[in-house]
Amino acid sequence: MSDTYFSPRGDKAELEEGSGFSPKFDAAGLITVVTTDAETGDILMVAYMNEEALSKTIETGEAWYWSRSRGELWHKGDTSGQIQTVVEMLTDCDQDTLQLKVNVGGDGGCCHVGYRSCFYRRVPLKGAAGKPLALEPTGAEKL
């Protein structure tokens, strides 16, 4: 891990209540990131960072991710103009998930399908036993 930003992973008490930032990357070298709108709190997307993406995010104040499908570093908004400026970064209790609170540039979209948020369909909580559930639109419009 980077000597600059990350502390070694210590004992449980240090991880959960200490001041050292010790992100836990999974076996693939990734950490889950939940990205939300800094003003509204709306969930915009869930993505992943590797150590380099997390370091670049800290250095630049803009969101960088690791694209699992393309196998490469990804500066969100680099081609679309939907740059995510980080307002605040939080980690969960065991430091294996991050939350980014961001302001989004361009048209404000975050989803590659054209919606503001990647969460534009609802999963019904009730259904007929043995039958596949049908996703329901939330009413979100494409930008």
Side-chain angles (χ1 to χ4, degrees):
M1 276 197 232
S2 169
D3 293 330
T4 308
Y5 302 116
F6 311 136
S7 299
R9 289 188 63 82
D11 63 22
K12 183 176 178 178
E14 175 60 27
L15 286 172
E16 294 178 348
E17 299 191 54
S19 61
F21 182 39
S22 307
K24 182 179 180 185
F25 297 94
D26 67 15
L30 303 175
I31 190 167
T32 304
V33 182
V34 178
T35 304
T36 60
D37 183 284
E39 290 184 32
T40 67
D42 292 343
I43 297 172
L44 301 174
M45 56 186 276
V46 174
Y48 300 88
M49 289 182 178
N50 63 4
E51 185 178 327
E52 182 181 9
L54 180 52
S55 293
K56 283 187 166 288
T57 299
I58 292 167
E59 290 166 7
T60 66
E62 295 178 351
W64 289 75
Y65 302 101
W66 178 257
S67 171
R68 295 179 304 162
S69 61
R70 294 188 309 267
E72 64 186 20
L73 198 62
W74 161 42
H75 181 212
K76 177 62 177 159
D78 205 24
T79 57
S80 67
Q82 299 165 339
I83 299 287
Q84 294 178 348
T85 303
V86 179
V87 174
E88 185 174 26
M89 182 186 305
L90 302 123
T91 188
D92 70 335
C93 55
D94 57 357
Q95 301 193 44
D96 66 355
T97 304
L98 300 172
Q99 179 186 3
L100 295 185
K101 294 181 180 184
V102 301
N103 291 324
V104 182
D107 64 8
C110 290
C111 180
H112 75 283
V113 179
Y115 293 92
R116 170 152 170 71
S117 167
C118 293
F119 297 89
Y120 54 89
R121 295 174 292 178
R122 181 179 301 108
V123 178
L125 299 178
K126 294 184 180 181
K131 295 197 176 201
L133 294 174
L135 297 175
E136 303 166 346
T138 62
E141 295 183 17
K142 285 191 175 187
L143 300 174

